[in-house]
Amino acid sequence: MEKNDLNASSFAEAIHVGRSSISHILSGRNKPSLDLVMNIVDQFPEVDLYWLLNGKGSYPKKEMIETPAAQPVAPTVKKEDKIETTAPVNPPVTPSPDLFSTPKPEITKETETLIKGKNISKIIVLYSDGSFKDYFPE
């Protein structure tokens, strides 16, 4: 808001939300919704989404200086006096790590002891109001 010399009212208008929404966020009463965050990024392209969500990175957003590299093209092939080219050759894509699966637990000396005979039979969670909950692992 400061960078663009906007007050809360004009900022709310710029990102298409009610003035009270901005007021509640600035006072700490509410947290911004995903729609509000996306409206900010859409209306102010210099705002880096990662910076906005995590406070890390840079503001304003650093633009990429490099131009994208041209796609390499496979060699031409002569076939019955007609020259044909194949589709662009794309570099191999490495799969991104699976962020949603549960990682396999690392076996340490403590877990090894549990495996050798001292298994957990009951877990009790005590709450500050004096109540509790029992859990029985399978």
Side-chain angles (χ1 to χ4, degrees), residues 13-108:
E13 196 173 300
I15 62 172
H16 311 292
V17 298
R19 290 181 299 193
S20 62
S21 296
I22 299 301
S23 175
H24 293 166
I25 291 167
L26 292 175
S27 69
R29 176 179 171 195
N30 294 351
K31 294 190 182 268
S33 67
L34 179 59
D35 287 338
L36 186 132
V37 168
M38 295 311 294
N39 284 351
I40 293 171
V41 173
D42 288 342
Q43 295 302 318
F44 299 94
E46 71 275 11
V47 175
D48 181 49
L49 180 62
Y50 188 76
W51 173 82
L52 187 60
L53 294 175
N54 299 307
K56 297 177 183 173
S58 63
Y59 176 80
K61 182 181 355 182
K62 291 182 180 174
E63 295 297 323
M64 290 183 58
I65 298 171
E66 299 176 17
T67 57
Q71 291 283 335
V73 177
T76 59
V77 178
K78 260 192 168 182
K79 193 175 192 178
E80 298 175 12
D81 293 333
K82 292 181 181 178
I83 298 176
E84 297 177 4
T85 59
T86 59
V89 177
N90 293 326
V93 177
T94 56
S96 59
D98 182 6
L99 301 176
F100 298 103
S101 65
T102 305
K104 293 183 180 179
E106 191 176 314
I107 296 180
T108 63

